[in-house]
Amino acid sequence: MVDVLSLGELLVEIMRVKRDVPHTVRGEYSGPYPSGAPAIFADAVARLGVSVGFLGCVGGDDFGRLLLDRFKSDGVEVGGVRVLEGFTTGIAFVAYFKDGSRRFVFHLRYSASGFLSPEMVEERFFEGAKLLHVSGSSLAVSDRLRDSCLKALKLARDYGLKVSFDPNLRLELAPLAKWRELVKPFSEADIICPSFEDASALTGLKDPWEVAEGFQAEVVAVKLGAKGSIALWSGKRYSQPAFKVREVDPTGAGDVYDAALAVAYLKHLPPNQALKFANAAAAIKVSREGSMEGPRLREVLKFLKDRGEEINLVP
């Protein structure tokens, strides 16, 4: 039994060493780094001291073992992770550009990640849990994985779990019109935490507060990158500026933010403190290389204390 469940793609990232080098030209990559948006979320929740389990598939290869070893070392419950012999583990190649944009090349649909099926999403995993997190990227990997997420949503409601959802659009996986259809079943999640870019694309709105008001949820937290984040929390407006850090690797920061926000929500932190906590966790992640390098709880609390911010959250 765990407090939080996450499901979806498990993959490794292979990253360009230098910025502004597209995938179309010869150049160096580094990695592999354990990754996958819902997997980053799960690992970050574990590092923040809350019990979490993951449902997904890896191949019977070295990349799959890397991911399982990482989960186990950080305390993620892996009883719901299947090892599919004869399949390769998912891979994403990432190129960064100075304007902040990224380009992905995914090997997912025919990897082990794409073969999580609804039959693998068993009711026993939901017993005693408090929150389910779904990343929109999982909905576009394959029909099987999308149907698995929809079954998880139904079971979450049946068992009284809160639902957290990050649209996490990846236009390399599906066009925008398709995304608008894919995310509809999750429009009534309890917590919706999109990036401003994703939320603007889905709603067609350009003002951050109007974007937030375009969703119906108890908590709508819009991530604004270097500007911090805003939230409509039970209908009231809250905003928190970002913490300034030296950017090393932004990939995964949004998923770490989602994890910290979910932890803060479960710990009943007031909205302003919850946003500070999530902003701090994301800032620490940005300063580290590797998408799954989210901070531990003690690191977030120290980061905040060093900046004169006290958060009453017991480790």
Side-chain angles (χ1 to χ4, degrees):
M1 292 175 61
V2 295
D3 286 336
V4 176
L5 280 174
S6 182
L7 79 163
E9 67 272 19
L10 283 158
L11 58 91
V12 296
E13 276 189 5
I14 312 294
M15 301 193 307
R16 277 294 194 196
V17 173
K18 296 180 179 179
R19 300 205 173 197
D20 294 321
V21 182
H23 297 300
T24 53
V25 302
R26 184 177 178 178
E28 294 181 332
Y29 290 87
S30 66
Y33 299 96
S35 191
I40 297 166
F41 172 92
D43 196 79
V45 168
R47 289 165 75 92
L48 292 171
V50 172
S51 60
V52 57
F54 195 84
L55 310 180
C57 297
V58 296
D61 54 21
D62 286 349
F63 289 165
R65 283 187 283 277
L66 180 152
L67 284 158
L68 285 172
D69 287 348
R70 177 55 186 265
F71 269 180
K72 291 174 184 177
S73 69
D74 282 339
V76 178
E77 170 56 51
V78 297
V81 178
R82 305 289 185 96
V83 178
L84 304 184
E85 300 295 341
F87 288 83
T88 56
T89 300
I91 303 171
F93 294 88
V94 189
Y96 295 94
F97 297 88
K98 289 179 182 176
D99 63 2
S101 64
R102 294 172 293 173
R103 289 288 296 171
F104 293 88
V105 174
F106 289 108
H107 165 60
L108 279 178
R109 184 161 288 120
Y110 302 108
S111 73
S113 282
F115 284 82
L116 180 70
S117 66
E119 294 74 24
M120 299 176 187
V121 182
E122 302 175 39
E123 290 191 35
R124 63 188 176 93
F125 295 120
F126 293 77
E127 295 174 359
K130 298 176 182 177
L131 182 141
L132 169 74
H133 179 75
V134 176
S135 175
S137 54
S138 304
L139 305 175
V141 171
S142 70
D143 291 345
R144 291 183 190 86
L145 187 48
R146 178 202 63 212
D147 291 345
S148 298
C149 292
L150 292 174
K151 182 179 179 181
L153 175 63
K154 181 181 184 305
L155 287 173
R157 292 312 191 195
D158 290 346
Y159 279 83
L161 279 67
K162 296 291 185 177
V163 176
S164 167
F165 179 66
D166 182 343
N168 196 35
L169 307 188
R170 290 288 177 263
L171 296 180
E172 294 90 347
L173 295 174
L176 181 57
K178 179 67 173 177
W179 277 110
R180 288 175 173 153
E181 291 300 317
L182 289 171
V183 304
K184 278 184 180 178
F186 294 88
S187 61
E188 296 183 5
D190 301 284
I191 304 170
I192 298 179
C193 35
S195 68
F196 171 72
E197 293 78 12
D198 286 353
S200 180
L202 290 169
T203 63
L205 302 170
K206 301 300 181 184
D207 177 80
W209 287 112
E210 290 181 358
V211 161
E213 290 166 354
F215 295 91
Q216 299 296 320
E218 179 186 354
V219 178
V220 182
V222 181
K223 294 168 283 192
L224 303 175
K227 295 181 180 179
S229 61
I230 63 170
L232 282 178
W233 199 298
S234 299
K236 295 182 179 180
R237 290 186 174 191
Y238 300 88
S239 64
Q240 286 294 330
F243 295 98
K244 292 185 178 181
V245 294
R246 185 176 72 87
E247 181 182 300
V248 174
D249 178 6
T251 300
D255 305 305
V256 170
Y257 179 100
D258 298 347
L261 191 71
V263 168
Y265 179 89
L266 292 175
K267 297 287 187 178
H268 306 291
L269 281 183
N272 275 327
Q273 289 197 9
L275 293 186
K276 286 179 186 177
F277 185 73
N279 283 357
I284 296 171
K285 160 61 207 74
V286 164
S287 68
R288 298 173 174 176
E289 185 173 289
S291 57
M292 205 177 273
E293 300 308 316
R296 298 189 183 277
L297 178 57
R298 64 179 179 274
E299 294 175 307
V300 181
L301 297 180
K302 183 180 185 302
F303 180 94
L304 288 165
K305 187 175 182 179
D306 289 346
R307 287 155 180 78
E309 302 284 355
E310 294 286 347
I311 296 291
N312 185 22
L313 197 155
V314 178

